[in-house]
Amino acid sequence: AVSGEHLLLASYFLVLSVLAVYGMHRYFLVHLYFKHRTAEPRPDAEFERLPKVTVQLPLYNERYVVARLIDSVCRLDYPRELLEIQVLDDSTDDTTRIARRKVEHYRREGFDIRLIRRRERTGFKAGALAHGMQQSASGFFAIFDADFQPRPGTLRRTIHFFTDPEVGMVQVRWSHLNRGHSLLTRLQSILLDGHFVLESGGRFRSGRFFNFNGTGGVWRREAIESAGGWRADTLTEDLDLSYRSQLEGWRFVFLSDFTAPGELPTDMNAFLSQQYRWAKGAAQTARKLLPSLARAPLPWRVKLEGFFHLTANFAYPLMVALGLLALPALTIRLERQAWELLLVDLPLFLAAFCSVSTFYAVSQRAAVPDWRAQLKYFPALLGLGMGTALSNGKAVVEGLLGIDSPFRRTPKFGDRRPGKPRLAYRSRRGMLPALELGLGAYFGYLVWFSLQSGAPAALPFLVLFCFGFSYTGLFSLLRR
């Protein structure tokens, strides 16, 4: 008969094996990047006469950054008669007053700029974008979130790719206005550089699907409408529309050599709330669109990469399960002196977790000049990834089960520090910080247990979990 110990060990190795598969997929993305890294995109031609472009600025309570956003958009190097600016304001605070003052100022300067408000915030950001489209005849729409400052040359750099009638969207890489603000922003910048340089870059250049990231991109109107338009049935309306549009046959372009500067969350709760929304939205999109992707007349390599893309966040609940199984698995080994299991355990661990370091080292080398200086942050980066596992794991489970939750914006503070009491925007996470601190204490005990038992092989894994959960839980409670 199969004993409880065998079931525990089998569960532990099964979870670690699945994580190892996702880790190996990171190596594959590195391979795609190196294989296609010289394939920089160029437009087929240039418009003899530039088309009209509508710039959409979706807002909800952005008092600290709205003026900066509108100023930067009005500095875009594009013929004024061909530029329409929609300030899509759903705010319930003094953001509206600030935005209206800016809009009136630029209207006097001759800009075609409007403040558009809705009676109800139906559909959140997706609803605002759809509402704006209905009030414009433009064939192209550029979208910038409140925390971004588009460079003056953004439209001229992107618009000519649409001379190819099959191109439906052009996305530029994000750069970071406040990268050096704190340890948290430094870690976020590394995470996002990896996403853009290796994930979006590798997928685009190798002919796989990649996604619009909600801001810093330009859409062809027809690509939006033919795919069914903006929809609010997931928390990641950008990912959802991206896959629906590409399934309709539209081709996307990613520009890694041109960036849109944006502000990173400086508050731990805001960061984790953003990660929660992205993880849950991706799970909702996977639940919604994986059947369509599987049935689509596409090459198997595109379908397989799409599966890994849409299910990447499934690793988070698996990481929580792995951590909880660590103590019984370690205890059983010590009782049985089953060190030969390391022959299986160690390779799986290296595939699951060391791939992350390789992935981000390659992306930093491509994204920043002083990439070697970023390597010292990698242990904290791994810890943060583990520390987000509880929150993001909950998000994934809710997304797969179809549990709805409202769209929660990520607060932006401009050049202000979020610890000051005058700042009104706060993100709340209920009991999760306390649970994260509890898990931090649990892994702290496992570190002590591992040392006392003379089993140091698991120490790096346990220390990272201890740091990650303690870091996210503590700084959530401190609101930093």
Side-chain angles (χ1 to χ4, degrees):
V2 178
S3 67
E5 290 185 353
H6 285 108
L7 285 175
L8 280 171
L9 283 177
S11 300
Y12 175 80
F13 282 112
L14 175 62
V15 171
L16 190 55
S17 296
V18 176
L19 285 172
V21 171
Y22 279 96
M24 293 301 295
H25 176 251
R26 287 185 181 271
Y27 285 123
F28 177 69
L29 289 173
V30 172
H31 162 72
L32 286 181
Y33 167 76
F34 278 115
K35 183 177 180 181
H36 301 281
R37 67 184 183 278
T38 60
E40 285 293 340
R42 287 177 172 78
D44 292 345
E46 292 191 359
F47 285 107
E48 293 183 6
R49 183 175 180 180
L50 290 171
K52 183 175 181 180
V53 177
T54 294
V55 179
Q56 295 185 307
L57 312 177
L59 302 175
Y60 179 69
N61 295 352
E62 303 289 2
R63 63 167 64 133
Y64 299 118
V65 294
V66 59
R68 181 183 73 182
L69 169 69
I70 295 174
D71 285 340
S72 64
V73 168
C74 289
R75 288 194 293 267
L76 287 170
D77 177 21
Y78 206 73
R80 194 171 294 185
E81 68 275 11
L82 298 175
L83 185 65
E84 177 187 29
I85 302 170
Q86 294 181 338
V87 182
L88 306 173
D89 180 37
D90 287 343
S91 299
T92 58
D93 66 358
D94 60 349
T95 299
T96 303
R97 176 179 56 81
I98 301 169
R100 181 175 287 115
R101 188 168 63 241
K102 278 289 181 182
V103 167
E104 290 173 353
H105 166 76
Y106 282 109
R107 284 188 69 84
R108 290 192 297 269
E109 294 286 321
F111 285 87
D112 180 6
I113 181 171
R114 286 190 296 157
L115 179 71
I116 300 175
R117 287 183 57 79
R118 301 184 293 163
R119 292 183 178 180
E120 296 182 1
R121 197 180 170 220
T122 306
F124 307 106
K125 180 180 176 180
L129 294 171
H131 181 69
M133 276 190 63
Q134 293 171 2
Q135 301 189 42
S136 173
S138 289
F140 301 95
F141 291 83
I143 300 169
F144 298 102
D145 282 348
D147 49 336
F148 276 73
Q149 291 182 256
R151 300 183 189 279
T154 301
L155 294 183
R156 287 189 180 273
R157 181 69 178 86
T158 55
I159 195 65
H160 294 294
F161 285 94
F162 293 101
T163 56
D164 182 343
E166 296 183 355
V167 170
M169 191 277 298
V170 180
Q171 171 77 58
V172 304
R173 180 165 62 88
W174 294 2
S175 56
H176 318 295
L177 293 168
N178 57 340
R179 184 184 192 110
H181 178 273
S182 65
L183 175 63
L184 179 61
T185 58
R186 289 184 183 279
L187 299 182
Q188 288 179 75
S189 66
I190 296 172
L191 290 170
L192 287 169
D193 289 343
H195 166 70
F196 280 98
V197 172
L198 295 186
E199 293 185 42
S200 294
R203 286 169 178 147
F204 159 62
R205 292 174 179 176
S206 64
R208 272 80 168 176
F209 284 7
F210 76 99
N211 64 290
F212 171 60
N213 287 273
T215 178
V218 183
W219 278 88
R220 187 191 297 271
R221 183 189 198 108
E222 189 181 352
I224 297 174
E225 293 179 339
S226 67
W230 292 106
R231 295 178 184 172
D233 53 350
T234 75
L235 294 180
T236 47
E237 73 291 325
D238 44 9
L239 177 63
D240 171 42
L241 178 60
S242 295
Y243 264 74
R244 285 188 282 115
S245 182
Q246 288 170 106
L247 286 169
E248 287 294 317
W250 292 100
R251 191 166 65 84
F252 287 5
V253 174
F254 174 68
L255 302 181
S256 62
D257 62 341
F258 193 93
T259 66
E263 178 184 323
L264 298 163
T266 55
D267 173 77
M268 178 63 78
N269 285 327
F271 164 69
L272 291 173
S273 176
Q274 181 188 69
Q275 294 293 307
Y276 179 93
R277 186 176 75 245
W278 291 350
K280 183 169 183 176
Q284 291 171 325
T285 304
R287 183 172 181 259
K288 174 183 177 180
L289 294 182
L290 277 179
S292 298
L293 180 65
R295 294 192 299 267
L298 294 167
W300 67 268
R301 60 184 180 84
V302 174
K303 295 183 181 182
L304 184 61
E305 181 56 37
F307 171 82
F308 276 106
H309 184 186
L310 294 178
T311 64
N313 290 300
F314 290 14
Y316 288 111
L318 292 174
M319 286 169 62
V320 175
L322 184 70
L324 295 177
L325 289 168
L327 177 59
L330 183 59
T331 303
I332 292 169
R333 288 173 172 192
L334 292 172
E335 290 176 352
R336 296 186 167 207
Q337 296 183 343
W339 295 106
E340 66 273 11
L341 291 175
L342 280 175
L343 296 175
V344 178
D345 195 353
L346 189 58
L348 291 176
F349 180 84
L350 293 175
F353 293 101
C354 290
S355 61
V356 177
S357 297
T358 302
F359 181 86
Y360 288 110
V362 171
S363 69
Q364 287 304 281
R365 184 173 184 178
V368 294
D370 62 337
W371 66 274
R372 289 185 178 85
Q374 308 305 312
L375 300 180
K376 62 179 176 288
Y377 298 110
F378 278 26
L381 181 75
L382 291 170
L384 180 64
M386 294 177 177
T388 61
L390 183 63
S391 177
N392 288 353
K394 177 176 180 288
V396 168
V397 172
E398 288 181 358
L400 291 176
L401 295 178
I403 300 172
D404 291 330
S405 59
F407 184 101
R408 291 188 175 90
R409 57 179 285 283
T410 303
K412 297 95 180 177
F413 300 107
D415 59 355
R416 297 166 175 84
R417 289 184 178 270
K420 295 182 179 179
R422 68 175 180 270
L423 299 180
Y425 303 146
R426 296 294 187 188
S427 298
R428 293 176 173 83
R429 302 176 55 239
M431 291 296 296
L432 281 175
L435 293 174
E436 286 161 353
L437 284 175
L439 284 171
Y442 167 72
F443 283 104
Y445 166 74
L446 288 184
V447 169
W448 175 85
F449 179 81
S450 181
L451 288 170
Q452 292 294 312
S453 305
L459 274 176
F461 166 76
L462 300 175
V463 168
L464 288 174
F465 262 119
C466 179
F467 165 78
F469 283 120
S470 300
Y471 178 50
T472 55
L474 179 63
F475 281 88
S476 289
L477 293 177
L478 293 176
R479 299 194 179 281
R480 292 179 57 192

